[in-house]
Amino acid sequence: NVPLKSYQFITFSYMDKKRNTSSHYIAYKVDPFSVYIADIQESKIKVILNKHTDHISELRNLRIKDSQYFVTCSYDGNAIFWNLPNFIPHFELKFQTWVNSICIGSYINDDLIFCACGFSRSSFIGIFNTSGKHEFNINFNEDFSPILIETYNRNRINYLFVGTDASNPKIIVIDYY
């Protein structure tokens, strides 16, 4: 009984423009509720993030305007945005259901945060502004779970790609302006 997306890791870099230095990290799950962040240059664990109370479903490195965050999503209903480079929680998005995936997309002159949430008929995409304020949801009527989401911009049209679970596999493309 292995949870969805159970073996995960990502690599990412943080550039400190004021000091003109960069740090390089690898983040990986050691147990279902914890993430280790290792500094690649120093070959040591920098921090252990263990604020979630259920399986971590996704690890992401996201930029919002001039800030960079490490983001953890979990079946506990939370998406936590950790400040870089100190890995202190900056803000959390809270739901009453699983948070499967998260991404950032451009919209007019701002960015939006998209969260894939839920399981089966309770599935939806939660849309937030970059201050963490909930704007609206995109609800799904079919019986599937949005497992992975990502944005793409082509010819000034923004697209949201939604990949679903294996029991009812689909790729849904939503264009938004």
Side-chain angles (χ1 to χ4, degrees), residues 10-138:
I10 66 166
T11 59
F12 59 98
S13 297
Y14 173 77
M15 173 65 106
D16 186 334
K17 292 179 183 175
K18 292 178 186 172
R19 295 185 185 140
N20 198 26
T21 61
S22 62
S23 300
H24 308 283
Y25 302 104
I26 184 168
Y28 55 96
K29 287 176 26 179
V30 175
D31 63 56
F33 306 162
S34 302
V35 176
Y36 282 34
I37 308 289
D39 186 310
I40 295 172
Q41 293 158 303
E42 296 179 10
S43 296
K44 68 178 186 178
I45 302 297
K46 178 174 177 72
V47 66
I48 299 170
L49 308 177
N50 55 7
K51 197 167 183 206
H52 288 289
T53 58
D54 203 341
H55 290 277
I56 294 171
S57 55
E58 187 167 68
L59 310 173
R60 286 277 181 128
N61 176 41
L62 299 177
R63 294 180 191 277
I64 301 175
K65 298 179 182 167
D66 292 331
S67 299
Q68 186 175 347
Y69 302 98
F70 178 72
V71 182
T72 54
C73 299
S74 173
Y75 296 164
D76 65 9
N78 296 315
I80 302 173
F81 285 69
W82 307 82
N83 272 331
L84 292 180
N86 56 15
F87 295 96
I88 295 172
H90 180 70
F91 69 88
E92 293 182 39
L93 302 178
K94 296 180 179 287
F95 299 91
Q96 298 299 313
T97 187
W98 293 4
V99 181
N100 299 318
S101 186
I102 195 165
C103 65
I104 301 292
S106 297
Y107 182 70
I108 305 176
N109 294 324
D110 205 356
D111 290 330
L112 292 174
I113 302 169
F114 296 92
C115 295
C117 300
F119 186 72
S120 297
R121 291 204 179 268
S122 64
S123 300
F124 63 95
I125 304 291
I127 317 265
F128 295 80
N129 66 27
T130 54
S131 299
K133 180 181 176 283
H134 183 252
E135 297 290 336
F136 59 92
N137 289 338
I138 300 171

